[in-house]
Amino acid sequence: MSKFIAALRSLLFVLWMAATVIPWAVFSLIASIFIRGTPLFWFTTFWLRIAITGCRFICGVRYEVKGMENLPDGPAILLSKHQSTWETFAFPTLMPRPLCYVFKRELLYIPFFGWAMARLDMVHIDRSKRAEAWNRVAEQGKRFMAQGNWVIMFPEGTRITRGQQGTYKTGGTRLAVATGAPVVPIAVNSASCWPRKSFLVRPGLVTVSIGKPIAPAGCEADELMREVEGWIEGEMRRIDPGAYQQ
């Protein structure tokens, strides 16, 4: 019965997102004719607040954030664990600055949602062209940080199953070394409520834990990423110990 109720609530949540994203995406596309940059970011991402609020009241997914005091007052590159769609929606609503996501360009083809994202200051890359992708990240990431944005990347590259660890790639730390901006590691156990590649969203508490900034001075990109990886995976075991007991 509990699984049936969760499935019903999940269906209502999907309908809620579908019903709200289309008009807001249209509003955002129209607004982008008149405003760009930071004002457009906050206008467009208001829909994410609608989605996260719906996730809470329809599906019972609550959240807590630890370590907000660790966020720097200046340029930063956020490097986060990635388990679910939840954090991609939630982070822009939680952070005090506009976020510049680095993501595969195929997401731009999603009707309405992707079209609205295309109007924002984001870095969309072609993963099949690695050298070109890195040059785009370096060039646009530096420019967007100079405008006051924070760059955010998921170093494992994709959503990871709860309790597992992917390969941490050095794109984010290479950008840090190239620009001098600190990296901020983030752990999040969202898959405990919203697993990857799953329609079913279960009630529960998602914990977002933000680590202290790590300066890139004197570090190589791979060395810096090992430090990021060590902190994130250690923190994941602390905030979601049940997922690592087997």
Side-chain angles (χ1 to χ4, degrees):
M1 179 61 72
S2 61
K3 188 172 182 180
F4 172 78
I5 293 174
L8 180 60
R9 295 171 79 177
S10 299
L11 176 59
L12 291 175
F13 176 52
V14 170
L15 294 175
W16 166 257
M17 288 195 296
T20 55
V21 73
I22 294 175
W24 200 259
V26 172
F27 294 156
S28 298
L29 290 169
I30 295 171
S32 71
I33 300 172
F34 307 99
I35 59 174
R36 296 302 294 267
T38 298
L40 182 62
F41 175 87
W42 294 124
F43 182 88
T44 301
T45 57
F46 182 79
W47 177 79
L48 298 178
R49 298 182 187 276
I50 295 174
I52 292 299
T53 299
C55 193
R56 178 176 181 176
F57 287 100
I58 298 173
C59 296
V61 178
R62 298 168 293 113
Y63 66 85
E64 62 177 356
V65 183
K66 300 179 179 181
M68 285 291 288
E69 69 278 3
N70 292 329
L71 293 171
D73 183 19
I77 300 165
L78 310 184
L79 300 178
S80 174
K81 187 74 177 179
H82 192 18
Q83 290 190 332
S84 141
T85 302
W86 185 90
E87 58 268 14
T88 61
F89 284 6
F91 284 165
T93 73
L94 300 175
M95 299 300 168
R97 293 197 180 201
L99 299 184
C100 171
Y101 278 87
V102 178
F103 60 87
K104 58 184 180 181
R105 67 179 184 180
E106 287 80 2
L107 295 180
L108 299 177
Y109 306 142
I110 299 174
F112 298 102
F113 179 81
W115 302 341
M117 277 205 308
R119 303 295 288 172
L120 300 176
D121 290 338
M122 306 283 179
V123 181
H124 34 92
I125 59 174
D126 183 348
R127 288 181 172 177
S128 66
K129 301 176 181 178
R130 299 187 62 177
E132 180 181 309
W134 160 245
N135 291 336
R136 188 177 183 88
V137 171
E139 176 190 349
Q140 296 193 354
K142 184 177 181 179
R143 175 161 58 89
F144 291 145
M145 280 194 288
Q147 296 173 4
N149 297 6
W150 284 343
V151 172
I152 180 168
M153 301 176 70
F154 299 113
E156 291 166 288
T158 188
R159 289 170 292 177
I160 301 298
T161 302
R162 185 183 180 200
Q164 295 186 11
Q165 177 179 344
T167 300
Y168 280 69
K169 302 173 182 64
T170 59
T173 51
R174 288 175 67 190
L175 180 61
V177 171
T179 61
V183 295
V184 179
I186 302 175
V188 56
N189 64 340
S190 54
S192 61
C193 297
W194 190 347
R196 67 190 290 265
K197 298 182 179 179
S198 175
F199 164 80
L200 202 63
V201 181
R202 297 183 179 277
L205 179 67
V206 173
T207 297
V208 178
S209 183
I210 303 170
K212 294 182 178 180
I214 306 172
C219 294
E220 297 291 335
D222 56 349
E223 175 189 0
L224 186 58
M225 185 53 77
R226 282 196 298 271
E227 188 171 352
V228 169
E229 177 182 357
W231 188 91
I232 290 177
E233 293 302 323
E235 188 67 3
M236 288 301 300
R237 285 167 171 77
R238 192 185 71 79
I239 67 175
D240 194 11
Y244 294 88
Q245 287 178 352
Q246 45 221 352

